[in-house]
Amino acid sequence: MVDACDVVFHLAAAVGVKLIVESPVRTIETNVHGTEVILNAASRQRKRVLITSTSEVYGLSDQIPFREDGNLVMGATTKGRWSYACSKAIDEFLALAYHREKKLPVVIARLFNTVGPRQIGRYGMVVPTLVAQALEGEPLTVYGDGRQTRCFAYVGDVVEALLRLMDHPDTAGEVFNIGSHEEVSITQLAERVVALTGSPSPITYVPYHEAYAEGFEDMPRRVPDTSKAERFIGFRPRTSLDGILREVIRDIASRREARAALPT
């Protein structure tokens, strides 16, 4: 399949905090071995490859905003939560090694919380989960104290950036942050979902040890420096968080209506 195509966008991975905590072996093997297969196949004919990495690789770094050349600060190996971040960091090391040693044209994109219509909350994705809870009139569940912050990027803006990275002649062998600059705490996110849906739902807080495991660690802030992507491809996120939430609300509401219309 790789031999027959022009370029490869490697988007697949084991993702979601729930899966990572419950199945660390599956997480590590899927991410590392899967990427190894793709790079090995692409290297036979030097097919251009884009590897999607993650903001998780920055770990516990406090160098905000995160820069591509900044240090990666991982948590202890005894905490399985960091297996995903480490596996994606290995993906990056492996991809860059293929570039240096085998001259494979590889581009790495570190994505920061890509969201949009049709995303599901099954693996712990916070935006569709909160929106679905609000539309059902259920309590919105926020893990931890809700002060942890994230930046959510619209899938349409991200896809455009990935295409531009692949088309640019000078991006091979480089790493790029792709995400939004609109930082919001998870409590603020839940409040905006309630306001935009007009839901009567309350916000409830679930301690990390109840949601995942004792000693679970989270990243307090996740904010990208996207100046490198702006310099290379003119990347600037165009869609606001409220715009993203309205799109997700419309999508989930329409699917709820479609299910309700089905004959019982």
Side-chain angles (χ1 to χ4, degrees):
M1 290 171 65
V2 169
D3 289 347
C5 72
D6 298 313
V7 297
V8 179
F9 289 85
H10 179 39
L11 310 178
V15 297
V17 176
K18 183 176 176 60
L19 175 63
I20 292 161
V21 171
E22 294 179 355
S23 305
V25 172
R26 177 182 171 189
T27 298
I28 295 166
E29 291 184 346
T30 296
N31 291 345
V32 176
H33 293 334
T35 299
E36 184 180 16
V37 168
I38 292 292
L39 291 170
N40 184 266
S43 70
R44 289 198 297 266
Q45 296 186 38
R46 292 191 182 174
K47 298 287 186 177
R48 192 173 179 88
V49 182
L50 184 139
I51 302 289
T52 49
S53 186
T54 171
S55 59
E56 287 268 347
V57 299
Y58 291 104
L60 296 170
S61 172
D62 58 2
Q63 298 175 3
I64 303 291
F66 295 142
R67 288 171 48 93
E68 293 89 345
D69 57 359
N71 292 330
L72 310 184
V73 183
M74 297 298 173
T77 56
T78 53
K79 298 184 184 299
R81 184 257 188 278
W82 299 112
S83 61
Y84 173 66
C86 289
S87 68
K88 296 303 288 183
I90 289 292
D91 284 353
E92 292 193 23
F93 278 120
L94 188 60
L96 293 172
Y98 265 85
H99 174 71
R100 295 188 188 102
E101 186 175 330
K102 300 178 182 292
K103 310 305 178 187
L104 184 66
V106 173
V107 185
I108 296 171
R110 291 177 182 164
L111 306 185
F112 282 71
N113 295 90
T114 304
V115 294
R118 299 191 299 279
Q119 186 180 41
I120 59 176
R122 185 180 305 157
Y123 305 107
M125 310 318 187
V126 65
V127 168
T129 297
L130 293 179
V131 169
Q133 290 172 335
L135 291 174
E136 293 289 347
E138 300 173 351
L140 274 65
T141 52
V142 171
Y143 297 138
D145 60 14
R147 290 184 292 181
Q148 67 273 29
T149 67
R150 299 293 184 264
C151 298
F152 296 92
Y154 183 60
V155 62
D157 295 339
V158 172
V159 168
E160 182 180 345
L162 299 186
L163 292 171
R164 289 186 179 184
L165 286 174
M166 282 293 262
D167 287 341
H168 197 287
D170 299 324
T171 55
E174 299 286 347
V175 181
F176 297 90
N177 290 332
I178 301 296
S180 167
H181 308 132
E182 193 175 351
E183 186 177 12
V184 63
S185 74
I186 302 304
T187 291
Q188 291 169 335
L189 176 67
E191 291 169 347
R192 286 164 92 157
V193 167
V194 167
L196 289 170
T197 57
S199 174
S201 297
I203 297 172
T204 60
Y205 294 86
V206 179
Y208 283 129
H209 70 270
E210 290 183 13
Y212 301 117
E214 194 69 41
F216 177 86
E217 291 181 328
D218 199 8
M219 303 170 71
R221 296 179 68 193
R222 225 186 276 186
V223 184
D225 179 336
T226 60
S227 58
K228 183 176 179 181
E230 183 176 353
R231 189 166 70 251
F232 273 77
I233 61 170
F235 171 73
R236 288 186 181 180
R238 295 193 302 266
T239 311
S240 69
L241 178 58
D242 282 352
I244 294 171
L245 293 177
R246 290 189 182 98
E247 287 287 325
V248 174
I249 290 166
R250 276 195 290 268
D251 172 60
I252 294 179
S254 66
R255 285 190 277 128
R256 287 179 69 246
E257 291 171 2
R259 287 196 301 270
L262 292 173
T264 57

